[in-house]
Amino acid sequence: MPDEDWTPPPVLLAVDLVIFTLRESALHVLLIERGVDPFRGSLALPGGFLEHDREDVLAAAHRELREEADLDASRLHLEQLGAYGAPDRDPRGRVVSVAYLAIAPGLPEPLAGTDAARASWTPVTEILAGRAELAFDHRDILDDGLERARSKLESSALATAFCATTFTINELQQVYEAVWGVELDLRNFYRKVQAVNDFIVPVGAERRVGRGRPARLFKAGDRTTLYPPLVRPIPATTTKGNP
Amino acid sequence: MPDEDWTPPPVLLAVDLVIFTLRESALHVLLIERGVDPFRGSLALPGGFLEHDREDVLAAAHRELREEADLDASRLHLEQLGAYGAPDRDPRGRVVSVAYLAIAPGLPEPLAGTDAARASWTPVTEILAGRAELAFDHRDILDDGLERARSKLESSALATAFCATTFTINELQQVYEAVWGVELDLRNFYRKVQAVNDFIVPVGAERRVGRGRPARLFKAGDRTTLYPPLVRPIPATTTKGNP
DNA sequence: TCAAAAGTGTTGTAACTACACCCATGA
DNA sequence: TCATGGGTGTAGTTACAACACTTTTGA
């Protein structure tokens, strides 16, 4: 045990962001190409160090979100994933990172001309398939973020954070299918989401795209927790109680 | 944005532990009485600073578990809750804490004579009722730990971590009742837990206590995730979809 | 032989899966 | 008028809450 006038060793604190969005019905994560060592040229999650001694960690996440992704706090979900503190995770020295999960509605363009033009949306399947290597322990952080998103779709209204202010039920279903990586029966999905009071509320208008019957538009309701939950079929890491 | 030769501000990193156990069918948390300022004399979660520059954060949690609670890593559940990084959470300066949730089987005695004799098991209901104040933001951390434990009982085999190597179904039920703060129908509980393959496996022996039919003894099985989950009745923060 | 604790059976219901079917629109 | 996407109806099944009932023990 440390003695009386011992002082604890300081560490550097970073914030990393797993920012998910839906583009062309597929789950994408925002990655940057690193311009400096270590891992220069590699892909990494956006993030950075705490800026000054009194900066709140959550505030730092919001700041990075603005600087690196040009994303505003409004209409955006942000929650902490956890701290990553292995001693050798950063070759520059002792850096502990607090990771955040952010969910954004599909943006019109991949943010050119901003401070962070080197950022780009990457399909998550690319990384899962091992076709892209990530710097540091960012692959672990991404995996944790994906699992968190998957599990929160079951029991919370998180899915609406992927959508614009108004959306169709089909668009909402595409969120579930992209994040869970499964196909859902659209007819059962329609009733299930509408059966949960205040999950989505009809906005009165309709949207017509090409042929086919126009779809009703909805907006997110007040409900944040879904009960009963929408359980994903055949969860990846679990099997049925009695096989 | 910081310029080229700017260096990030260092912070002090602490580890705090929410250690739950069951004593006399009630959920208890390990608290210490602080011997030094700030908050001298107040109750606080056990924890401490990172000991040296290269210490792994998880390893620090294990070390504190040993030093402050005399608990070994074997037969003990330990998982990270998250980082707590508000700038004013510690009056001594910038301290970011990584909190861990630990679950221990009921210990014989509250650990006298050890390095951490000032530690004592406190009923969680005492703190929830506001009859005990906690130092720093430890009340928030405790709340988060309790919610995590509650939710993990639903979908994982965490409950067995509260029990000794062998246990009766009734003892397991008491875990659920104490953590969730509800009463369960023992007859339905019996079948539900036994229906999940490899959640608990019979060990052959029985236990007899006073009068009444002896109970079969079980041990924890290999299964870690429960599917379908054991959902808690009337979750505190949620209501039914259609009221 | 009775109280107490352990454990089983049964019934009604909620919520789901699977799939047949109907509706509204543009080409 | 037909292909296309939006939406409803219904039957069989699973999981579960509620509660009556049987079993095994100590006093």
Side-chain angles (χ1 to χ4, degrees):
Chain A
M1 201 169 195
D3 54 290
E4 282 305 309
D5 44 20
W6 165 91
T7 54
V11 303
L12 299 185
L13 201 76
V15 164
D16 285 312
L17 298 169
V18 178
I19 313 174
F20 285 138
T21 199
L22 222 63
R23 295 179 69 80
E24 289 127 35
S25 308
L27 184 67
H28 285 63
V29 63
L30 193 72
L31 296 180
I32 58 153
E33 196 185 315
R34 286 184 59 82
V36 294
D37 276 324
F39 297 101
R40 182 199 293 261
S42 292
L43 291 172
L45 295 173
F49 288 105
L50 224 55
E51 210 160 62
H52 57 87
D53 196 30
R54 308 305 292 169
E55 187 178 35
D56 181 77
V57 181
L58 179 60
H62 274 119
R63 178 177 51 74
E64 293 292 341
L65 216 38
R66 218 181 320 107
E67 289 177 4
E68 303 243 37
D70 198 26
L71 287 170
D72 197 340
S74 62
R75 280 292 301 162
L76 181 116
H77 175 90
L78 186 64
E79 68 177 88
Q80 195 194 109
L81 280 174
Y84 293 77
D88 55 353
R89 61 178 294 281
D90 193 319
R92 288 168 295 188
R94 192 60 204 269
V95 177
V96 172
S97 179
V98 179
Y100 282 83
L101 170 67
I103 309 286
L107 287 328
E109 270 307 301
L111 24 104
T114 72
D115 200 22
R118 24 185 249 294
S120 61
W121 294 109
T122 309
V124 171
T125 49
E126 291 287 308
I127 297 136
L128 293 186
R131 282 198 286 278
E133 290 294 314
L134 262 50
F136 307 106
D137 52 0
H138 287 188
R139 171 66 198 261
D140 295 335
I141 299 176
L142 175 62
D143 286 345
D144 291 348
L146 180 58
E147 179 48 37
R148 175 77 66 94
R150 283 179 169 163
S151 115
K152 287 208 90 172
L153 283 199
E154 298 193 315
S155 54
S156 83
L158 181 62
T160 58
F162 281 95
C163 300
T165 319
T166 64
F167 50 88
T168 66
I169 294 192
N170 216 309
E171 286 167 348
L172 191 66
Q173 182 179 343
Q174 284 175 28
V175 172
Y176 277 90
E177 293 185 330
V179 178
W180 283 348
V182 296
E183 291 208 333
L184 300 173
D185 185 301
L186 73 91
R187 299 160 292 188
N188 292 334
F189 187 81
Y190 272 67
R191 262 162 313 174
K192 255 159 105 159
V193 294
Q194 288 187 94
V196 182
N197 221 300
D198 277 331
F199 177 19
I200 57 171
V201 299
V203 81
E206 294 185 330
R207 169 181 301 169
R208 50 199 68 208
V209 268
R211 58 194 153 284
R213 176 172 172 175
R216 282 176 291 182
L217 285 171
F218 293 81
K219 62 184 171 85
D222 288 336
R223 177 166 305 261
T224 54
T225 56
L226 269 31
Y227 188 82
L230 273 66
V231 270
R232 49 188 144 160
I234 327 128
T237 53
T238 52
T239 47
K240 189 112 187 344
N242 280 322
Chain B
M1 200 167 196
D3 54 288
E4 282 306 308
D5 45 19
W6 164 92
T7 55
V11 303
L12 300 184
L13 202 76
V15 163
D16 285 313
L17 298 168
V18 178
I19 314 174
F20 284 138
T21 199
L22 223 63
R23 296 178 68 80
E24 288 127 36
S25 308
L27 184 66
H28 285 63
V29 63
L30 193 72
L31 296 180
I32 57 152
E33 195 184 317
R34 284 185 59 81
V36 294
D37 275 326
F39 297 102
R40 182 198 293 262
S42 292
L43 290 172
L45 296 173
F49 288 105
L50 222 56
E51 210 160 62
H52 57 87
D53 197 28
R54 308 305 293 168
E55 188 178 34
D56 181 77
V57 181
L58 179 60
H62 274 117
R63 177 177 53 73
E64 293 292 341
L65 216 39
R66 218 180 322 107
E67 288 177 6
E68 303 243 37
D70 199 26
L71 287 170
D72 197 338
S74 62
R75 280 291 304 161
L76 181 117
H77 175 91
L78 185 64
E79 69 177 89
Q80 195 195 108
L81 280 174
Y84 293 78
D88 55 354
R89 61 178 296 280
D90 192 318
R92 288 168 295 188
R94 192 61 205 271
V95 178
V96 172
S97 178
V98 179
Y100 282 83
L101 170 66
I103 310 286
L107 285 328
E109 269 309 300
L111 26 103
T114 72
D115 200 21
R118 23 187 250 293
S120 62
W121 295 109
T122 309
V124 171
T125 49
E126 291 287 308
I127 297 138
L128 293 186
R131 282 198 286 278
E133 290 294 314
L134 261 50
F136 306 104
D137 53 0
H138 287 187
R139 172 66 198 259
D140 295 334
I141 299 177
L142 176 61
D143 286 346
D144 291 348
L146 180 57
E147 179 48 36
R148 175 78 65 94
R150 282 177 169 165
S151 115
K152 287 208 88 171
L153 283 199
E154 297 192 314
S155 54
S156 83
L158 181 62
T160 58
F162 280 96
C163 299
T165 319
T166 64
F167 50 88
T168 67
I169 293 190
N170 217 308
E171 286 167 348
L172 191 67
Q173 182 178 344
Q174 284 176 26
V175 171
Y176 277 89
E177 292 185 331
V179 177
W180 282 349
V182 296
E183 291 206 334
L184 300 174
D185 185 302
L186 72 91
R187 300 160 293 188
N188 291 334
F189 188 81
Y190 273 68
R191 262 162 314 175
K192 255 159 105 161
V193 293
Q194 289 187 93
V196 182
N197 221 300
D198 277 330
F199 177 18
I200 56 171
V201 298
V203 82
E206 295 186 330
R207 169 180 301 169
R208 48 199 68 208
V209 269
R211 59 191 153 287
R213 178 173 171 173
R216 281 176 291 181
L217 285 172
F218 294 81
K219 62 185 171 82
D222 287 336
R223 178 168 302 263
T224 53
T225 56
L226 269 32
Y227 188 83
L230 273 67
V231 270
R232 49 189 144 158
I234 326 128
T237 52
T238 53
T239 47
K240 189 117 185 345
N242 279 322

